[in-house]
Amino acid sequence: MDIAVSTAPLDHVADFPAIPAGWSYLDSAATAQKPLSVIEAIDRGYSETYATVHRGVYQRSSEMTLAFEAARKRVAGFINAGSANEVVFVRGATEAINLVAQSWGGSQLKPGDRIMLSVLEHHSNIVPWQMIAERTGAEIDVAPLTQDARIDLDALGAMLTERHRIVALAHVSNVLGSVLDARRAAELAHRVGAKLLLDGCQAVPRMAVDVADIGCDFYTFSGHKLYGPTGIGILWGRPELLEAMPPWQGGGAMIDKVGFERTTYLPPPARFEAGTPHVVGVLGLEAAIDYVERIGLEAISAHEAALVREARDALSSINSVRLFGPEDSAGIVSFAIEGVHPHDIGTILDESRVAIRAGHHCAQPLMAHLGVDATARASFGVYNGRQDVEALVRGIERVTRIFG
Ligand SMILES: Cc1ncc(COP(=O)(O)O)c(C=O)c1O
């Protein structure tokens, strides 16, 4: 098979100072390594330009506020949002989904309303909905998967009713790598008058995302999976939805006027950003967006697709290996080896300097559906090349030899 596209042109490992020679980092779906440009942006943010935002009357703070708001605009452009005011800075996708569940769900859902999820969701797109369902009396439905491990949109469409108020789905599964037909999901949700929230954690590092083209209502992602810092993430929402949503956390920076009799709030996005924000994290996220856009999301998608193909081909020729997920998984390959616990796979691979994830991947309902407690997972990034796939396969062969 010709996998030229997967190696030399996109071997960006030299940009990543925390990846030593000979170490195969295959855990980008958990968190991506950081390129020097992101590390330098964070360094500059603390060592040269640091100040608070939105409050200072001095020049340094005004400049930092401008940089902070310019980064918001950059994020809006990255996902093709209509305006920077539709972009809310949060700690990560987990916080973004909790925000929507608590604020939108808390003000919109009532007994008898329904929430549609799917079997493959990450816990952070399950538990916040369970919490708000318990509080409001709404109920949760779970769409099944197709034979080839995608969210079954035919079944989901058939299950949707006018009582469904929101559909919340992973754009890309963190375990299976399956890519949702997001435009169709939006059409199905809107047909019954429901909103569509997409958990884009695993999509934004791997493909160009255009929220206007998809037609979703909320989109969430975490900066640290996009080669940016931890502690910063994005909630994008349609402006009319954000404007109608009450604040979910109170404090400084989100108020218009505070009195003991009555407090009024700023419009979005400030309404949802109580307290001092992660100023330098925002600058780091902007640098991460610059980094992936310099390489190009199309090139990244093609590169990871080629690595997935090569890994799946090689692993499927080993008898005891069971592969999960579709053939065209986006950058993620989950697998199991008959008679070997995934933790043992991970430990033995680590001895060969190959870092993978082993566990339930915060997707216990999906594990139950697959009939396993855990899987091993290799996930790719821009720093990986053919040599990493080869190291993975050599490591797996060693595991099978050790376990006979
Ligand atoms: C699909 C998906 N959703 C949500 C999350 C939660 O992201 P975070 O822990 O950065 O909030 C993850 C992280 O693993 C994920 O893969």
Side-chain angles (χ1 to χ4, degrees):
M1 175 193 290
D2 176 12
I3 58 156
V5 69
S6 74
T7 52
L10 251 196
D11 190 358
H12 288 283
V13 69
D15 298 340
F16 292 82
I19 305 183
W23 188 50
S24 292
Y25 183 71
L26 298 178
D27 199 17
S28 298
T31 196
Q33 295 291 333
K34 316 304 169 200
L36 194 57
S37 59
V38 167
I39 297 167
E40 284 173 348
I42 294 168
D43 185 24
R44 264 196 315 280
Y46 283 121
S47 62
E48 291 176 30
T49 62
Y50 189 68
T52 192
V53 292
H54 298 148
R55 295 163 174 79
V57 291
Y58 48 93
Q59 189 178 348
R60 171 73 75 83
S61 176
S62 311
E63 285 165 1
M64 190 53 120
T65 302
L66 287 178
F68 184 85
E69 291 304 325
R72 195 191 301 275
K73 213 165 162 188
R74 185 84 179 84
V75 174
F78 179 60
I79 55 171
N80 197 26
S83 108
N85 287 340
E86 300 164 18
V87 172
V88 182
F89 288 125
V90 289
R91 279 193 300 135
T94 301
E95 187 170 79
I97 298 169
N98 276 278
L99 193 169
V100 177
Q102 293 296 321
S103 172
W104 181 87
S107 59
Q108 294 290 322
L109 295 173
K110 52 186 186 321
D113 284 348
R114 306 194 78 85
I115 298 163
M116 178 67 76
L117 308 177
S118 89
V119 169
L120 60 66
E121 299 311 314
H122 188 282
H123 295 165
S124 53
N125 197 28
I126 298 175
V127 183
W129 299 113
Q130 290 175 322
M131 290 164 68
I132 200 63
E134 198 168 325
R135 211 180 92 195
T136 59
E139 286 175 58
I140 291 175
D141 294 304
V142 184
L145 306 187
T146 58
Q147 282 296 331
D148 67 344
R150 300 169 203 280
I151 297 172
D152 187 338
L153 289 181
D154 290 337
L156 180 142
M159 289 167 74
L160 280 175
T161 65
E162 312 245 305
R163 309 194 79 164
H164 285 94
R165 304 292 313 286
I166 191 153
V167 178
L169 303 173
H171 195 175
V172 170
S173 159
N174 64 310
V175 177
L176 305 167
S178 31
V179 183
L180 178 75
D181 179 347
R183 282 163 70 173
R184 181 155 179 241
E187 277 165 29
L188 291 170
H190 293 161
R191 199 177 292 167
V192 295
K195 307 296 177 216
L196 176 68
L197 176 143
L198 291 176
D199 168 1
C201 262
Q202 302 296 343
V204 288
R206 309 201 150 77
M207 60 184 64
V209 169
D210 181 330
V211 293
D213 180 61
I214 292 170
C216 56
D217 300 287
F218 296 106
Y219 200 94
T220 69
F221 65 91
S222 296
H224 69 99
K225 294 179 200 274
L226 182 67
Y227 309 98
T230 52
I232 188 71
I234 296 300
L235 165 66
W236 168 80
R238 282 187 188 276
E240 65 278 14
L241 295 177
L242 293 178
E243 273 151 30
M245 282 161 54
W248 79 308
Q249 289 178 340
M254 49 76 75
I255 53 86
D256 167 37
K257 214 167 176 6
V258 176
F260 280 109
E261 303 72 33
R262 187 173 128 80
T263 291
T264 52
Y265 308 114
L266 289 174
R271 184 187 302 163
F272 303 109
E273 294 178 356
T276 305
H278 188 0
V279 177
V280 175
V282 166
L283 303 181
L285 175 61
E286 181 183 33
I289 291 173
D290 287 345
Y291 181 77
V292 292
E293 288 203 327
R294 266 200 307 277
I295 298 174
L297 269 306
E298 280 77 16
I300 294 173
S301 289
H303 174 71
E304 294 193 15
L307 292 176
V308 163
R309 269 200 307 278
E310 193 185 4
R312 288 185 72 96
D313 279 357
L315 293 178
S316 61
S317 67
I318 304 172
N319 271 342
S320 49
V321 171
R322 175 181 172 199
L323 284 168
F324 302 99
E327 296 284 325
D328 61 351
S329 143
I332 296 169
V333 179
S334 269
F335 58 95
I337 302 178
E338 216 179 301
V340 188
H341 194 280
H343 285 163
D344 292 331
I345 302 175
T347 306
I348 294 168
L349 285 176
D350 190 39
E351 289 168 5
S352 312
R353 306 193 69 210
V354 176
I356 60 149
R357 172 88 181 263
H360 56 61
H361 315 292
C362 299
Q364 287 178 349
L366 175 58
M367 295 297 116
H369 168 81
L370 297 173
V372 295
D373 292 331
T375 74
R377 178 186 73 185
S379 52
F380 300 109
V382 297
Y383 27 69
N384 295 125
R386 178 187 280 154
Q387 70 285 357
D388 298 309
V389 175
E390 288 167 354
L392 172 71
V393 174
R394 275 197 308 276
I396 298 296
E397 285 167 348
R398 182 163 170 256
V399 173
T400 59
R401 279 197 303 278
I402 290 171
F403 281 84

